[in-house]
Amino acid sequence: MSYRLDAVIGDFDHLRGWAEGAAVVAPLRQRMGLLLPSTALREDLPRTLRDLFRAGPVAQVEADFWGGDGRQTAALWRAGAREWGPVRTSDFDGPREDWPINAALARLGVASAGPGAPDYHDLFLEVGLGRGRDERDWSFAALEAHDVTTYDEWHARERARRESEERAAAERALCERLPGVPVPLNGKEIIALLGIPQGRMIGAAVRHLQQLHLDGGPVSRAEAEAALHAWAAEQGPAPASGEREDGLVLPRPPPADPGAFPRA
């Protein structure tokens, strides 16, 4: 599997402010952005960096890998001048913090996630550079964020999207049958008992009976019928956001874990 990166990394808002119409910028974590220089900009990238990025530091990064072997190059520009690098390596046996792109990101102010977190010592992954594998991936990421005006706006939208996905996943989990856990009623019997049509509510009812079995042991048919009547009554009236086409409401999933969202 290959990986190729040839870009400029810096503050997202700063890069977007300059690149309007001249290049595309994809959002990364920690308020960073990844700019893909156009062909015209690549022709004299050092001059572009020197003349156009005087307001803040930017890193020029390159990486090319295939099947685990490859190389990295990175340099840091600040106040219109190259402050560090270029540093190159194809030897990745040493500490990750010394690898060129990680070292450049540290100089940009990218922070470690902290001991105990996955890859806390790899800023390359911490900032999100593993999300894309080539220019096409980053162009798509930039296109998805093309209509935002600031990093905060993108971050809020991304948080909302992740929250929606988490809630949908939790809702699906409530309707998935657990393997190997018996229930005394099948789907047709539940439909007849509760007077409801075929749908996801049946899966939720089966899952409820399975949970009763896990919590207190085998449930008799009579106990299952009484438990389902009580359970159905507890669902209550549906809020507008929870309504289904069949007029039924699934149990509300727990709120998504805020820790799953991207950090600003």
Side-chain angles (χ1 to χ4, degrees), residues 106-150:
R107 287 168 170 79
L108 281 179
V110 175
S112 168
D119 298 303
Y120 71 90
H121 52 307
D122 196 336
L123 298 183
F124 182 98
L125 297 178
E126 176 64 24
V127 81
L129 288 176
R131 293 190 300 116
R133 305 199 65 83
D134 53 31
E135 183 173 327
R136 183 175 62 177
D137 289 345
W138 293 116
S139 294
F140 182 75
L143 180 62
E144 285 190 315
H146 78 281
D147 57 340
V148 301
T149 56
T150 66

Side-chain angles (χ1 to χ4, degrees), residues 3-6 9 28-30 34 61-65 71-74 92 96-97 99-106 110-112 119-133 138:
Y3 181 93
R4 189 174 189 280
L5 179 66
D6 185 359
I9 297 175
L28 299 173
R29 299 192 188 106
Q30 299 196 29
L34 182 149
V61 298
E62 297 179 25
D64 197 350
F65 287 88
R71 60 179 178 82
Q72 278 188 12
T73 303
F92 299 96
R96 294 193 178 197
E97 56 266 30
W99 296 358
I101 294 180
N102 280 339
L105 292 174
V110 175
S112 168
D119 298 303
Y120 71 90
H121 52 307
D122 196 336
L123 298 183
F124 182 98
L125 297 178
E126 176 64 24
V127 81
L129 288 176
R131 293 190 300 116
R133 305 199 65 83
W138 293 116

Side-chain angles (χ1 to χ4, degrees), residues 126-199:
E126 176 64 24
V127 81
L129 288 176
R131 293 190 300 116
R133 305 199 65 83
D134 53 31
E135 183 173 327
R136 183 175 62 177
D137 289 345
W138 293 116
S139 294
F140 182 75
L143 180 62
E144 285 190 315
H146 78 281
D147 57 340
V148 301
T149 56
T150 66
Y151 187 90
D152 289 336
E153 182 181 342
W154 170 81
H155 188 266
R157 189 170 72 181
E158 185 71 3
R159 184 181 181 91
R161 181 184 68 82
R162 294 291 183 91
E163 180 180 33
S164 177
E165 291 177 352
E166 291 282 348
R167 290 185 181 279
E171 185 178 275
R172 288 194 299 271
L174 290 172
C175 303
E176 293 176 356
R177 183 164 185 153
L178 298 172
V181 181
V183 291
L185 299 173
N186 60 33
K188 290 183 179 180
E189 291 170 328
I190 293 173
I191 290 174
L193 177 70
L194 299 181
I196 57 177
Q198 182 68 44

Side-chain angles (χ1 to χ4, degrees), residues 24-60:
V24 297
V25 180
L28 299 173
R29 299 192 188 106
Q30 299 196 29
R31 311 195 71 83
M32 293 287 108
L34 182 149
L35 180 146
L36 295 173
S38 64
T39 301
L41 294 179
R42 290 184 191 278
E43 291 178 354
D44 194 356
L45 190 56
R47 180 179 178 181
T48 300
L49 293 169
R50 183 173 56 251
D51 294 345
L52 299 176
F53 295 115
R54 297 180 182 276
V58 293
Q60 180 187 358

